[in-house]
Amino acid sequence: MLKNRLTRAAAVVAATTTLGLVAPVTSAQAAVTPSAYALEARTQTNAERTERSVATLSYSSCLRTYSTRQARAMAAAKRMHHQDLRPILSACGLSRVGENVAVGYPSGKATVVGWMASSGHRANILDPTFTQGVVSAAQDSSGRWYVAQVFGTPR
């Protein structure tokens, strides 16, 4: 997993951390749809925020476009990486954008548990200035999950 944060003013990467988990694919993993996986991760993300008195993230169809594209790109390349976040700022009318990515977790909930164990990812999830957030998931040809979570703060 890697974490980047980009602000309109600075347009620079504030922090990057690397933490990866590659788990074997199980038959239960193969039965889960990308939508169900992503919904579980979104639900867990909002549960983590609620537990700490941080407002839940609202859905953004614009952010969904970018998270889905990123999850699919990582699965196709069979490697975890970040996308360029600058285009998302203007395309989605945001002042700030952030991203968490992951690979190999067997469920959406497990992905968020992993992110919460990493200070940079946890900071994105619990950042109260992020008011929008979506999660997308895609599998590579071997069934390994790739996940992209994109956060935004409207202008």
Side-chain angles (χ1 to χ4, degrees):
M1 295 173 279
L2 299 173
K3 194 270 298 163
N4 283 339
R5 183 176 297 166
L6 187 69
T7 63
R8 177 172 284 289
V12 298
V13 175
T16 302
T17 55
T18 303
L19 175 68
L21 169 69
V22 178
V25 177
T26 66
S27 59
Q29 272 181 268
V32 175
T33 66
S35 294
Y37 188 110
L39 178 61
E40 185 180 47
R42 179 175 163 71
T43 300
Q44 184 66 28
T45 294
N46 278 327
E48 296 289 352
R49 288 173 67 94
T50 298
E51 186 177 312
R52 291 160 184 85
S53 301
V54 179
T56 58
L57 296 165
S58 63
Y59 176 84
S60 164
S61 59
C62 187
L63 291 180
R64 167 66 72 201
T65 299
Y66 289 94
S67 67
T68 299
R69 184 181 303 161
Q70 180 61 14
R72 289 177 179 168
M74 291 188 303
K78 292 189 176 196
R79 75 175 180 86
M80 186 176 59
H81 61 279
H82 280 283
Q83 63 186 309
D84 181 358
L85 299 176
R86 288 174 292 205
I88 302 172
L89 288 167
S90 59
C92 297
L94 302 172
S95 62
R96 290 184 63 237
V97 64
E99 179 179 67
N100 288 343
V101 297
V103 61
Y105 287 94
S107 68
K109 182 176 181 177
T111 300
V112 176
V113 169
W115 283 331
M116 290 299 289
S118 164
S119 62
H121 301 93
R122 180 185 178 97
N124 271 350
I125 289 171
L126 300 179
D127 187 332
T129 65
F130 286 137
T131 59
Q132 299 176 345
V134 298
V135 181
S136 295
Q139 288 180 293
D140 68 14
S141 59
S142 68
R144 180 173 294 137
W145 286 105
Y146 290 80
V147 187
Q149 181 175 49
V150 182
F151 304 92
T153 303
R155 286 187 211 140

